[in-house]
Amino acid sequence: MKAGRVLAALLAAALAAGCAGPVNPPLKAYDLAAGYRYANARLDAAEEELFVILAFSGGGTRAAAFSYGVLEGLRRIVYQPAAGGPRTLLQDVDVISSVSGGSFTAAHYALFGVEGFKRFEDDFLYQNIQGQLVARALAPWSWARLLRADYSRIDLAADLYDEKVFGHATFGDLLASTRRAPYLLLNATDMTSGARFEFTQDQFDLLCSDLSQVPVARAVAASSAFPILLSPMTLHNHRGEPCESFRPPTWLTSALQSSSQPRRLALAQNLMSYRERVAERPFVHLLDGGLADNIGLRGPYVALSGQDSAWSIYTKINQRKIRHVLVITANAKTGRDPGWDARQSPPGVVDVLGLVTTGPMGNYSFETVQLIADHFTALTNELASLRACERMAKEQCASFEMPFEAPAPVTFHAVELAFDKVVGDPRLRDCLEGLATSFHLPAPQVTLLRQVAQQLLLSSPDLRAAMATIAPGWQPGEGAAIDPSLVAAACSPS
Amino acid sequence: MSYVIVLFPGHRDVYIDDQSQGSNVAASGKPRALFVNAGVHIFRLGGTPDVEPPSQRVDVPERPILDPFRVVFTQCP
């Protein structure tokens, strides 16, 4: 009888809570001049000869703190460009692409800049977000909402992030910001296709939806919706006017005809499936971006390797806008040997589940980092071979002239920061490799991750080589020191 | 990864899939090699509409920089 009254009260509360509006409202009209797109978010004047892309991996608070340390490190790199006064490398960041835990740092920085650094530490990095999520889920007033068909654990998480971390900011607010902010690519995974889903208006055009009214926290929640622990986030794929007037961008139409390029064709077919199969797919379910790409580099790779992107790097090079491309990846992967092979008995169910949910992500991330590095090497070698050919031809015949002009001289640099780059301190490296994937880490571990990221960045041979080309006068300062007492506090078994 | 040069008797902005790529000709007067990803693209030129064809759908093959693919436009009389 008592249980019945409780159930009735919950149902009444659920009805009183009403139905939520669509998470992603429909578009009123297609308009390339509106919405969170690269061309609208980044003014031409904000682009410099140096184009910097940051990629932040997944890994809960571990990834958020590590990527935050990278931002802090970039702020410490001050150099003198050819024109204007001294500037930091952080000021040169054009795009941040992120997944899961890294998305918290990326979104907060894009919204609030360095002015928001302290707030990010107080509101997220050093908070027990996981505990707050559990407390909300267990609170009786949440049960009523969780009974609704249109509200689930991921919505609860999004509401928490919206209130506590992102101050109810929407993508419209992000676009309206007049500050020189980097373009933000928050990546989730489409459960049906298994493909990357980015929170940009270009992607939302395909859902006939207006991203401007979507809270940034929702995108971050979708990007970090770790399977099983959090439910998928559901978006509406809208129909009716003006959706029927959708015209795909020309590159998408071209890619759909590129049967000789299977990767390009598959990307285009996947994107067009939202519109072409809208009757069968009125909803889209999103999970953690790490399932499609746990390093956040697949979107940048498309932009770096062709014209099939709203911010194609090839196009910018052809337009002679940029001369240096620098990609910095903050990869918070862990890889401590679990010791399974020391025992005859096979790993248990929890270990197997852990492996199948994270193992493929790690392997794929390694391949993606290599893909970018190999692409840069190939581009550099191509340009070098052209110069070598011209030089050799002139040696044979002084009057030789190449029949065409080479592409603009561009240098390409890739820097990967990861725990396996820690050298000279096996204990520290082992400690980092063993850090948990959670939305709560002890304060010493958070501070340690920030210091390690700065130390890795400032001492990176790849970064130093890049800076020697980008700003020949730049002198590396002292590397960031890691406090030994902090290592002891963060790495001692609790 | 591929490279193209766009041949036309004069300086024109090259558009690949409706994105401007800058001029087809360098300051030296030579055709300018452009970065492009392999596969189908729509090429057209900006400026006066005296170009034949007005646009062309081209399946660009993979090409090394030393042998860029050629896309040819002519000027209408």
Side-chain angles (χ1 to χ4, degrees):
Chain A
M1 192 67 182
K2 190 177 176 185
R5 277 203 296 272
V6 170
L7 186 60
L10 282 175
L11 283 171
L15 289 171
C19 289
V23 178
N24 57 312
L27 260 182
K28 291 190 172 67
Y30 283 104
D31 183 1
L32 287 176
Y36 194 69
R37 308 175 200 272
Y38 184 88
N40 301 336
R42 298 281 297 161
L43 302 174
D44 274 356
E47 284 183 353
E48 309 289 340
E49 288 191 343
L50 168 61
F51 197 93
V52 180
I53 301 168
L54 304 183
F56 293 164
S57 80
T61 298
R62 185 184 71 241
F66 190 61
S67 51
Y68 179 66
V70 171
L71 295 181
E72 292 180 297
L74 290 169
R75 197 182 180 194
R76 292 176 57 177
I77 298 175
V78 182
Y79 74 98
Q80 177 63 54
R87 55 192 294 115
T88 71
L89 203 50
L90 185 60
Q91 290 175 288
D92 286 320
V93 176
D94 294 278
V95 174
I96 307 182
S97 176
S98 63
V99 292
S100 204
S103 289
F104 285 87
T105 310
H108 203 278
Y109 177 63
L111 273 168
F112 307 116
V114 293
E115 294 79 13
F117 271 18
K118 180 72 171 63
R119 198 152 20 108
F120 185 59
E121 294 172 21
D122 295 341
D123 294 347
F124 181 78
L125 282 183
Y126 291 93
Q127 287 291 323
N128 182 356
I129 295 294
Q130 195 140 311
Q132 293 180 39
L133 279 171
V134 172
R136 282 213 175 187
L138 295 177
W141 54 267
S142 293
W143 301 351
R145 288 197 289 176
L146 288 168
L147 281 173
R148 288 185 348 216
D150 62 348
Y151 196 89
S152 62
R153 299 192 305 285
I154 194 65
D155 301 295
L156 200 95
D159 288 347
L160 176 73
Y161 307 155
D162 193 40
E163 291 165 28
K164 302 284 186 184
V165 185
F166 296 107
H168 307 290
T170 63
F171 279 90
D173 297 325
L174 190 57
L175 183 61
S177 166
T178 53
R179 200 172 38 76
R180 186 190 182 281
Y183 186 54
L184 177 66
L185 284 178
L186 296 174
N187 300 285
T189 301
D190 180 328
M191 281 185 72
T192 299
S193 64
R196 191 178 65 87
F197 181 100
E198 64 181 36
F199 280 77
T200 62
Q201 188 55 53
D202 297 308
Q203 177 101 45
F204 271 58
D205 279 353
L206 296 158
L207 305 183
C208 193
S209 177
D210 182 4
L211 178 64
S212 299
Q213 299 178 51
V214 175
V216 172
R218 288 223 151 250
V220 174
S223 178
S224 57
F226 195 78
I228 302 168
L229 292 179
L230 288 166
S231 50
M233 175 166 288
T234 301
L235 298 181
H236 293 244
N237 190 10
H238 296 283
R239 301 173 70 177
E241 283 297 328
C243 307
E244 275 69 34
S245 63
F246 174 73
R247 295 287 175 273
T250 310
W251 72 261
L252 187 49
T253 312
S254 293
L256 283 169
Q257 300 166 36
S258 293
S259 53
S260 63
Q261 300 295 321
R263 188 181 288 160
R264 196 173 172 225
L265 178 64
L267 171 72
Q269 286 175 332
N270 171 57
L271 290 174
M272 281 307 292
S273 73
Y274 294 109
R275 291 273 32 97
E276 289 174 348
R277 297 180 51 221
V278 63
E280 304 149 56
R281 303 187 69 188
F283 300 101
V284 176
H285 304 287
L286 303 176
L287 268 179
D288 193 304
L291 296 177
D293 163 26
N294 199 34
I295 199 81
L297 273 177
R298 287 280 159 172
Y301 178 70
V302 174
L304 284 162
S305 59
Q307 270 81 3
D308 300 344
S309 168
W311 52 283
S312 160
I313 297 296
Y314 274 15
T315 294
K316 294 183 189 305
I317 294 171
N318 289 340
Q319 292 171 335
R320 309 220 157 200
K321 281 185 175 173
I322 56 180
R323 294 197 55 212
H324 307 284
V325 181
L326 172 61
V327 178
I328 299 175
T329 307
N331 187 356
K333 68 175 179 183
T334 53
R336 182 187 271 174
D337 182 352
W340 294 328
D341 296 345
R343 299 185 299 270
Q344 185 180 7
S345 58
V349 173
V350 173
D351 288 334
V352 172
L353 268 179
L355 177 71
V356 297
T357 51
T358 61
M361 293 184 197
N363 294 339
Y364 193 57
S365 296
F366 174 79
E367 289 301 324
T368 307
V369 170
Q370 284 305 304
L371 193 64
I372 298 272
D374 292 348
H375 181 60
F376 281 4
T377 302
L379 287 169
T380 303
N381 289 345
E382 283 276 303
L383 295 175
S385 72
L386 183 69
R387 286 193 295 272
C389 177
E390 186 172 15
R391 188 178 63 246
M392 286 189 288
K394 279 184 182 292
E395 283 169 6
Q396 298 298 315
C397 173
S399 61
F400 174 81
E401 286 288 335
M402 289 293 286
F404 58 88
E405 196 82 19
V410 180
T411 66
F412 301 93
H413 311 275
V415 177
E416 190 200 8
L417 307 172
F419 302 150
D420 59 12
K421 309 270 185 207
V422 171
V423 291
D425 191 342
R427 184 186 171 209
L428 172 60
R429 180 171 160 172
D430 187 59
C431 166
L432 296 166
E433 299 272 15
L435 291 179
T437 301
S438 160
F439 279 129
H440 175 229
L441 289 180
Q445 292 186 355
V446 173
T447 306
L448 178 65
L449 284 158
R450 291 169 54 194
Q451 288 191 6
V452 167
Q454 292 179 63
Q455 202 259 354
L456 284 173
L457 178 73
L458 296 169
S459 60
S460 162
D462 291 331
L463 182 84
R464 290 183 178 204
M467 290 304 293
T469 307
I470 294 162
W474 177 73
Q475 290 295 324
E478 287 185 20
I482 296 175
D483 181 358
S485 65
L486 183 63
V487 178
C491 301
S492 58
S494 53
Chain B
M1 178 165 51
S2 192
Y3 302 87
V4 292
I5 53 175
V6 177
L7 301 174
F8 179 77
H11 289 245
R12 290 294 168 92
D13 267 352
V14 176
Y15 287 81
I16 299 178
D17 295 332
D18 287 331
Q19 298 178 72
S20 171
Q21 309 291 319
S23 176
N24 62 322
V25 179
S28 63
K30 295 182 200 170
R32 205 160 63 88
L34 300 171
F35 284 96
V36 67
N37 53 330
V40 172
H41 293 282
I42 306 293
F43 284 78
R44 67 179 171 86
L45 301 182
T48 316
D50 58 351
V51 180
E52 184 60 33
S55 71
Q56 45 186 311
R57 173 183 174 276
V58 180
D59 194 350
V60 179
E62 300 273 359
R63 282 292 178 92
I65 183 65
L66 287 169
D67 184 21
F69 188 73
R70 290 158 188 248
V71 177
V72 181
F73 288 93
T74 57
Q75 193 160 24
C76 300

